[in-house]
Amino acid sequence: MGPAWPYVDVELRRAIDEGAVPGPRMMVAGAYISSTGGAGDARQFSTYVDVPIVRNLADGPSAVTEAVRTNLKNGADFIKILVTGAMLSKGISPGAQQYSDEEIRAAVVEASRWGKQVAAHAHGAEGIKAAIRAGVRTLDHGSYLDDEAVSLLKASNRRIFYVPTLYTYEAIDRSDASNPIPESERQRARDVRAIGYAGFKRALAAGLPIGFATDAQVIPHGQNAKEFAIRVKLGEAPMAAIVSATSLNAEIMGWQDRVGSIIANKLADVIAVPGDPLRDITALERVGFVMKDGVVYRDELARQP
């Protein structure tokens, strides 16, 4: 979902695709696009401290259009735009809309010209609804998803997907000594957690298709699968959670003809775990076998005689 700059995600994807290093299939956003003072503005320190790597700020529809073009020119597969504030940034609050409707629409219009989709970081309700009206592909986080937003999603003639990150609240507020997150941002997570859980339950009750995401690296890398347990605890069926992370996510990415289900003529991308995740969803946190395109990269499961 994008660094601030440079295009390290694009280069890593290329290195993997060219066989220089082993790694997963990657679909990358390049530099995520943020407004000045918004969720992606890393210049949040003294005015006397410059952060030269920050080259992802765009204000106004024309600047947003230029940022989209720059990302796509440099190899991005899709565009990520930060529509609202965020948990871990200062400035505008997570619930506040930071990009105007016109700016969001400019990103979607330009990405569409290139045949690309837009992912919208959107916590607050007004930002969520503005992103839906603009025609984004995904609403990432979607913490303040309300009844009006649900109705807009159901009425939309586009396939727009709500994609929550529910384990993020717990990960931000974890009490272990390795947690570097300041108390002020941890309090934000506490304040929004119940709202985000309620939004997820609202989407479940409405029968919306719900994508699967993890918000790594906000959560520690390697803990991605903990998202499953939160979703199941909040009422989602284990199989629905698994489908969300596989075939539904493949559809969201436009890769459904290649991955997402184990059927003939798709790529042999397979994992295996010790146990039945339909009985214990946390089994997915203990992956012991990984195959990509028919090549085994990890095989730690005990073989039965």
Side-chain angles (χ1 to χ4, degrees):
M1 284 289 187
W5 186 85
Y7 294 92
V8 291
D9 55 345
V10 172
E11 296 307 324
L12 179 57
R13 183 203 64 205
R14 287 174 176 160
I16 292 169
D17 290 348
E18 292 170 3
V21 294
R25 304 185 195 284
M26 293 183 66
M27 184 176 186
V28 302
Y32 53 73
I33 301 171
S34 171
S35 65
T36 298
D41 187 349
R43 289 192 174 109
Q44 297 174 355
F45 306 99
S46 166
T47 56
Y48 302 102
V49 178
D50 190 20
V51 186
I53 67 167
V54 177
R55 302 188 185 181
N56 62 326
L57 304 182
D59 299 305
S62 61
V64 169
T65 297
E66 181 181 2
V68 169
R69 290 172 178 167
T70 300
N71 278 328
L72 296 177
K73 178 194 78 171
N74 286 305
D77 297 308
F78 67 101
I79 296 300
K80 178 177 180 180
I81 185 168
L82 304 180
V83 170
T84 73
M87 296 288 191
L88 299 186
S89 61
K90 300 186 185 300
I92 200 165
S93 71
Q97 182 177 339
Q98 69 180 42
Y99 263 133
S100 69
D101 292 27
E102 292 75 20
E103 288 168 316
I104 304 166
R105 193 174 303 112
V108 173
V109 167
E110 188 58 34
S112 297
R113 288 194 182 107
W114 293 64
K116 304 296 185 181
Q117 306 280 5
V118 174
H121 159 106
H123 282 287
E126 295 310 310
I128 290 170
K129 286 176 275 195
I132 295 170
R133 290 191 294 267
V136 303
R137 182 63 166 177
T138 59
L139 304 162
D140 305 316
H141 313 300
S143 300
Y144 289 77
L145 187 79
D146 62 14
D147 290 332
E148 183 183 2
V150 169
S151 297
L152 286 172
L153 285 170
K154 297 189 80 166
S156 174
N157 58 5
R158 296 171 179 250
R159 285 283 273 173
I160 300 173
F161 297 88
Y162 158 67
V163 187
T165 53
L166 302 169
Y167 177 64
T168 303
Y169 309 118
E170 183 175 320
I172 290 173
D173 196 33
R174 66 190 188 276
S175 58
D176 61 87
S178 66
N179 186 0
I181 297 172
E183 174 59 26
S184 56
E185 279 68 41
R186 292 172 67 176
Q187 185 60 51
R188 276 185 171 183
R190 296 182 202 120
D191 293 342
V192 178
R193 183 189 322 220
I195 297 168
Y197 285 179
F200 179 73
K201 291 179 179 179
R202 190 173 287 116
L204 274 181
L208 292 179
I210 304 173
F212 191 95
T214 66
D215 212 12
Q217 66 185 357
V218 172
I219 70 170
H221 284 294
Q223 296 186 11
N224 310 52
K226 290 183 179 292
E227 182 77 11
F228 285 106
I230 300 291
R231 290 174 62 139
V232 170
K233 182 179 73 174
L234 293 174
E236 187 172 38
M239 181 55 83
I242 294 169
V243 167
S244 172
T246 52
S247 59
L248 181 61
N249 267 9
E251 178 189 348
I252 291 172
M253 298 169 71
W255 289 7
Q256 64 268 31
D257 61 332
R258 293 182 285 157
V259 299
S261 55
I262 304 175
I263 62 174
N265 299 318
K266 287 193 179 182
L267 297 170
D269 291 358
V270 181
I271 66 164
V273 299
D276 180 358
L278 298 182
R279 294 179 179 273
D280 176 11
I281 198 68
T282 66
L284 292 172
E285 299 173 24
R286 300 181 290 277
V287 174
F289 177 90
V290 177
M291 174 187 286
K292 176 187 173 186
D293 201 14
V295 178
V296 176
Y297 287 86
R298 183 176 180 180
D299 188 3
E300 300 170 2
L301 298 181
R303 288 182 169 82
Q304 299 298 319

